[in-house]
Amino acid sequence: MAEDELTATGEGRWGLDLWNGHAWFSTWFYERLQWPAGVERKKLSDLRPSLPEGAWESLLLAIRDHLERQLPLEMQLRAQLPDGRFECWQVQGLAERNASGQPVYLAGSMREGPP
């Protein structure tokens, strides 16, 4: 799916290389969080300043449960937009594993969901 189509559907895509920690975010995040277009975000922790107390930890626990216990990565996450409003995001993700079964890459989507 093209990036323009993802933005039009109101869904953001993200990915995380679990071996080197490099992350990427689609334009949905840059638009939603008003990140400067010329500054590439390369760490999952770039989301942290936009998450209220406890939300970052909840995201990390959900990722850990998915990677270690192979539970589905599906959760709701509160995020604070630059204008101070809060949104509820639906987070989904799926790990890619190598031949040994170790997770090597995590990719998913976020979209605005019900409060």
Side-chain angles (χ1 to χ4, degrees), residues 15-104:
L16 177 62
D17 184 319
L18 298 169
W19 291 87
N20 67 20
H22 184 267
W24 65 267
F25 301 94
S26 69
T27 57
W28 183 89
F29 293 93
Y30 287 83
E31 292 168 1
R32 203 89 169 173
L33 300 174
Q34 296 179 5
W35 288 345
V39 180
E40 186 178 0
R41 305 299 174 144
K42 295 183 179 183
K43 299 247 179 242
L44 187 63
S45 61
D46 287 328
L47 288 174
R48 190 174 191 172
S50 300
L51 303 180
E53 186 174 336
W56 174 250
E57 292 78 8
S58 294
L59 176 61
L60 293 181
L61 286 173
I63 290 172
R64 183 176 178 180
D65 281 345
H66 178 65
L67 297 176
E68 293 179 1
R69 300 173 56 207
Q70 298 186 15
L71 296 175
L73 177 51
E74 296 181 6
M75 66 173 298
Q76 290 196 359
L77 183 69
R78 284 193 62 191
Q80 186 171 17
L81 302 181
D83 66 5
R85 290 182 301 122
F86 286 90
E87 285 186 344
C88 184
W89 292 352
Q90 292 180 343
V91 180
Q92 292 184 320
L94 185 62
E96 293 178 23
R97 297 176 182 274
N98 63 17
S100 302
Q102 295 176 308
V104 294

